[in-house]
Amino acid sequence: MIGRSTPRRRATATGALVAASALLAVGLQSQVSTAAPQAEPDPGALSVKLSPSQRAELLRDAEADSSATARALGLGAKEKLVVRDVIKNADGTVHTRYERTYDGLPVLGGDLVVEESPGGAVAEVAKATAARIAVPSTSAPASEKPSKAAAEGSTAPRKVVWAADGKPVLAWERVVGGTQEDGTPSELHIVTDAATGEKLAEWEGVHTGTGESMYSGRVSLGTSGSGGSYTMTDVNRGNHRTYDLNGGSSGTGTLFSDADDLWGNGSPSNRQTAGVDAHYGAALTWDYYKNVHGRNGIRNDGKAPYSRVHYGNAYVNAFWSDSCFCMTYGDGANNSRPLTSIDVAAHEMTHGLTSNTAGLRYSGESGGLNEATSDILAAAVEFRANNSSDVGDYLIGEKIDIRGNGTPLRYMDKPSRDGSSKDYWYSGIGSIDVHYSSGPANHFFYLLSEGSGAKTINGVSYDSPTSDGKPVTGIGIAAAEKIWFKALTEKMTSTTTYAGARTATLSAAADLFGADSVQHKAVAHAWAAVNVGSRPDEGGGEEPGDNVFENTDDHSIPDPGTVESPITVNRSGNAPSTLKVDVDIVHTYRGDLVIDLVAPDGSTYRLKNSSWDSGDDVRASYTVNASSEAASGTWKLRVRDVYRSDSGYIDSWKLTF
């Protein structure tokens, strides 16, 4: 990258619209739960089940109105909206997810979700970027165009606008095929600046994530055929099919067939057994999305992906790929432990859901949220399945014994138990492997569902800590899963971070249960317990509305230059000696920023200096001794960008007295 005499930037930018995803990186008294009493969500806030024709009609309507929607959102003349998905709630609210183009070029990181009220008015917009999409020119010198990679399966570069990491730039995106170290297929996306050739981002497009089954006992399967000729084709679930790759690594392989419709024998030596588990897991996941969330398949179009088992030789992994729209499973070490348990199958299929909804880019904090989403909804599928051979739990991969010592792959109650995952959010978490940065979100979901402390659920012992040592009371998985699903499909975008996930889930909880509900407060408590935001009642015994003041308006930060965001406080007496300032700033390079709190009388309190900092966004809590200041008046957050080339905005900030 081009150097400059300013604080050092991160060497490799991260981020992208995810293409595909996967699973791996390598004596208490029994009680049911300490969750709070259940309350039913607002029926109007739940999505309705759409038939393929109903969904197609909504998509056509949105496409026909896309130009008017673009104008209503204040988009530029060269920008167009391309409809990607649509969800309708029972009360008539419609959430439409769009990609953007600029002068005919795809805008990576430009996706947005528009929420329209039953009357058709725009009620809310969630954007992957707040930056205005514009580049000086869409022409790129021929000498700057990357040549097509020689690797098998590579694609020719395509010209795009890269907007996922701050100021939009003209870029080239190419996909290089090949094989990863563990035998997983590779679809490596590389984005380079069209003017300078600097690499802006790269991400892997394929990521690791009545029969007798190996893990679930005797199960019913959706098959088709008659008269001595049957296949693993589930006509009641979008024609989902399961294939035997026979050790291959490409193509679909052979569709499983059988003469008597009795499949497998529970042993990995029988090739049908792995197919039974994969086919069963896909059916459970399909039913879960349809019956619990009203979604008719991954794309909500009634069409199922397909499954492939017996991939490679002793392949210890499983993955989802957008390019084949399929789930693929290896047979594990010594070809004796196929990675086809319920939670693994649900995990992989959920990557497909994420790709076709929020599109969380598979790097940085959004990559961790992508992985966590697959773990979270896999746990929900497992609980909903209620299979006595594989009971619901908050453990990931406990059946496949991938470590060879009988322990799960991941733990949701205390993620660090696996030796690598993180229990709590911290400012550098976006720089680690996404399978480990998923920890805080998994932990959040467990706390939201079951609460903190020691307990035993379905025979499994848990003991979940909190970052601040304060307890959390759970609301039950039935409420928690609806909150996460609604946030994923209606509120999150490709660039959502942990702070953004907190905002999205709070909004989802408010829609479902009300802004003053136990569930809404529990979401705030659970996020605070993993160090994302603060407790809803911090600052004394007063109600939050009396001691917390917040500005959620976006304020663009000049590059370079200064911006101020105001908060008006109506409160008697002086500010406390422990005035808490929570800051949420989206920026491509945090080292450029100087941040001050400005009191009503003009006094300033330095919160952050510019520094040699390799991170990007600023999401932090500061404590200021402001006891000499009158509380009443207008307080300001002053942010100064001291160097050129990086950009961003104040997303929100608040004062807690």
Side-chain angles (χ1 to χ4, degrees), residues 89-403:
N89 294 160
D91 65 2
T93 301
V94 175
H95 295 82
T96 307
R97 188 175 294 274
Y98 297 93
E99 302 288 358
R100 267 193 275 188
T101 64
Y102 176 84
D103 204 11
L105 300 179
V107 179
L108 302 186
D111 52 298
L112 53 88
V113 184
V114 176
E115 177 185 313
E116 291 182 303
S117 68
V122 174
E124 183 177 292
V125 180
K127 294 182 178 180
T129 178
R132 187 165 186 80
I133 306 300
V135 294
S137 172
T138 56
S139 298
S143 60
E144 297 293 342
K145 181 177 179 178
S147 60
K148 181 178 178 180
E152 180 182 355
S154 299
T155 62
R158 68 168 181 165
K159 194 186 299 181
V160 300
V161 174
W162 176 251
D165 288 312
K167 186 176 181 180
V169 296
L170 187 67
W172 292 102
E173 180 201 22
R174 56 182 169 149
V175 182
V176 180
T179 303
Q180 299 182 49
E181 289 184 7
D182 66 353
T184 306
S186 177
E187 296 174 5
L188 184 65
H189 294 242
I190 301 173
V191 180
T192 55
D193 191 306
T196 67
E198 175 188 1
K199 184 165 67 176
L200 301 173
E202 72 174 34
W203 68 96
E204 179 55 63
V206 179
H207 309 115
T208 61
T210 304
E212 291 293 342
S213 71
M214 183 168 176
Y215 303 115
S216 301
R218 179 168 294 180
V219 298
S220 296
L221 296 179
T223 60
S224 64
S226 62
S229 179
Y230 300 88
T231 64
M232 278 195 189
T233 303
D234 194 338
V235 295
N236 294 317
R237 297 178 177 90
N239 283 316
H240 170 260
R241 293 178 171 88
T242 300
Y243 296 84
D244 183 354
L245 277 172
N246 284 295
S249 59
S250 62
T252 57
T254 304
L255 180 64
F256 277 104
S257 61
D258 190 81
D260 58 10
D261 210 15
L262 298 174
W263 307 82
N265 64 2
S267 169
S269 63
N270 184 307
R271 301 196 66 79
Q272 290 183 354
T273 298
V276 169
D277 277 299
H279 204 67
Y280 175 64
L284 290 175
T285 308
W286 176 282
D287 289 350
Y288 170 78
Y289 288 136
K290 186 173 184 178
N291 297 332
V292 178
H293 302 295
R295 191 171 183 88
N296 192 18
I298 284 176
R299 294 186 299 217
N300 210 16
D301 61 358
K303 298 177 182 179
Y306 62 89
S307 297
R308 307 184 301 179
V309 299
H310 301 307
Y311 175 91
N313 180 35
Y315 175 64
V316 189
N317 219 325
F319 60 89
W320 162 271
S321 174
D322 272 351
S323 62
C324 70
F325 195 60
C326 70
M327 295 83 70
T328 304
Y329 307 91
D331 287 327
N334 302 314
N335 293 313
S336 63
R337 303 292 297 186
L339 280 77
T340 50
S341 59
I342 292 173
D343 56 359
V344 176
H347 177 108
E348 301 309 338
M349 197 163 168
T350 298
H351 275 307
L353 171 74
T354 299
S355 181
N356 284 278
T357 54
L360 291 161
R361 62 183 187 180
Y362 207 71
S363 59
E365 292 191 18
S366 57
L369 291 168
N370 187 312
E371 269 300 312
T373 295
S374 281
D375 286 351
I376 286 167
L377 294 178
V381 169
E382 197 176 72
F383 271 100
R384 184 69 55 165
N386 196 28
N387 184 294
S388 60
S389 297
D390 187 2
V391 299
D393 54 48
Y394 295 95
L395 310 174
I396 305 300
E398 74 281 358
K399 286 287 186 178
I400 58 177
D401 193 21
I402 198 168
R403 304 184 193 279

Side-chain angles (χ1 to χ4, degrees), residues 24-107:
L24 308 177
V26 170
L28 296 172
Q29 183 177 354
S30 179
Q31 60 188 68
V32 176
S33 171
T34 57
Q38 288 293 293
E40 290 301 314
D42 177 3
L46 299 174
S47 58
V48 296
K49 298 176 184 178
L50 299 174
S51 68
S53 61
Q54 289 172 327
R55 179 174 182 270
E57 182 179 357
L58 286 172
L59 290 172
R60 284 195 299 269
D61 290 345
E63 198 67 60
D65 293 339
S66 61
S67 295
T69 302
R71 290 193 298 271
L73 298 180
L75 303 188
K78 294 184 177 182
E79 293 182 76
K80 292 186 182 300
L81 293 174
V82 180
V83 181
R84 176 175 166 185
D85 192 18
V86 63
I87 294 173
K88 186 173 183 178
N89 294 160
D91 65 2
T93 301
V94 175
H95 295 82
T96 307
R97 188 175 294 274
Y98 297 93
E99 302 288 358
R100 267 193 275 188
T101 64
Y102 176 84
D103 204 11
L105 300 179
V107 179

Side-chain angles (χ1 to χ4, degrees), residues 478-502:
E481 66 187 350
K482 289 181 176 63
I483 291 170
W484 189 271
F485 186 90
K486 189 175 183 69
L488 174 77
T489 57
E490 298 179 7
K491 314 287 185 179
M492 295 184 189
T493 68
S494 62
T495 62
T496 295
T497 60
Y498 267 101
R502 180 182 185 274

